[in-house]
Amino acid sequence: MKTTIITILLLIISNVFMTIAWYGHLKLETTGISKNWPLYVVILVSWGIALIEYCFMIPANKIGYAENGGPFTLFQLKVIQEVITLTVFTVMAMFFFSGEKLHWNHIAAFFCLVGAVVFVFWPQK
């Protein structure tokens, strides 16, 4: 159980950094902070943030992978990561990008992903 919680916490932290790396520059531009930055600077800053993301993602996968003594198969790790990614993205988009609205189809898509988690953990016969 401890390995499960550590894996999920590391995945959550990594996805916060990933979301910032992928979309944070858009918020910086709308606030005027990075409006005049050349694209290569935006890319380098995002890569620097992504490096931090990898510092959490790699240990999460290493600790969580069943063949390394963790509780999850490779497919389970990936599906869990995707659900965490979209959850973190949704929360951050709602708080940091005020123009973005959550609609019924976004919620429906989220429930489809939850269904993917159910299916990936479904016992094999």
Side-chain angles (χ1 to χ4, degrees):
M1 185 64 160
K2 181 179 174 186
T3 307
T4 300
I5 292 169
I6 290 170
T7 300
I8 291 172
L9 285 174
L10 288 171
L11 288 172
I12 291 169
I13 294 167
S14 78
N15 277 283
V16 167
F17 283 103
M18 180 185 70
T19 301
I20 292 169
W22 285 12
Y23 303 103
H25 62 90
L26 300 174
K27 181 64 176 176
L28 289 177
E29 190 167 337
T30 61
T31 60
I33 294 172
S34 67
K35 191 169 183 93
N36 296 320
W37 291 5
L39 184 57
Y40 76 90
V41 172
V42 174
I43 291 169
L44 289 174
V45 169
S46 293
W47 271 53
I49 296 167
L51 176 63
I52 299 168
E53 181 255 333
Y54 271 72
C55 291
F56 291 96
M57 179 64 75
I58 301 304
N61 287 325
K62 191 161 183 65
I63 292 167
Y65 186 44
E67 301 227 357
N68 291 337
F72 304 116
T73 67
L74 187 63
F75 286 101
Q76 290 170 338
L77 273 171
K78 183 59 183 171
V79 171
I80 291 168
Q81 188 271 332
E82 291 300 330
V83 170
I84 290 171
T85 295
L86 286 176
T87 302
V88 168
F89 172 81
T90 300
V91 169
M92 291 182 76
M94 298 302 296
F95 284 104
F96 297 114
F97 291 87
S98 57
E100 298 296 322
K101 303 287 185 241
L102 189 62
H103 298 284
W104 73 267
N105 57 323
H106 303 138
I107 295 166
F110 179 78
F111 281 112
C112 288
L113 286 169
V114 171
V117 172
V118 169
F119 284 120
V120 83
F121 280 93
W122 203 278
Q124 301 297 310
K125 292 187 181 199

